[in-house]
Amino acid sequence: QLDFFRLGKKSKGQMILVDTPGFGFAHTTNEEDSETFLNTLLAYLRGRGSVLKRVCMLIDSRHGFKRNDIEFLKKLYDNKKSEGKNPLGAP
């Protein structure tokens, strides 16, 4: 599930915040489900092209980075290293 929030007015530069509720709690015993979720999220981000300007990951400081947070960041930036491009595929 993705939740979309429009911030600001179109005439003054609008931003859309997309939240993935439960991402930090998505530790499942099924590795395949976790992998599918990460790949789906990365495909969504890469599909945004040049429209996407930033990816912001909020981390609960009480718990620090969780396994799926680290896996997501590795996948996001491994692509950048291997292709020498922006991790999201945008120019």
Side-chain angles (χ1 to χ4, degrees), residues 5-20:
F5 302 91
R6 291 185 187 277
L7 307 173
K9 296 183 179 184
K10 264 190 174 178
S11 62
K12 296 189 178 195
Q14 187 178 62
M15 180 172 84
I16 299 174
L17 176 70
V18 182
D19 183 25
T20 56

Side-chain angles (χ1 to χ4, degrees), residues 25-62:
F25 297 99
H27 293 282
T28 67
T29 55
N30 188 337
E31 289 282 324
E32 190 173 315
D33 288 345
S34 293
E35 188 73 18
T36 299
F37 179 79
L38 287 175
N39 289 332
T40 301
L41 181 57
L42 286 168
Y44 168 77
L45 293 173
R46 291 180 180 132
R48 301 302 300 148
S50 62
V51 172
L52 182 65
K53 304 296 183 199
R54 301 281 184 274
V55 173
C56 178
M57 178 184 259
L58 300 178
I59 304 295
D60 187 333
S61 63
R62 296 171 298 173

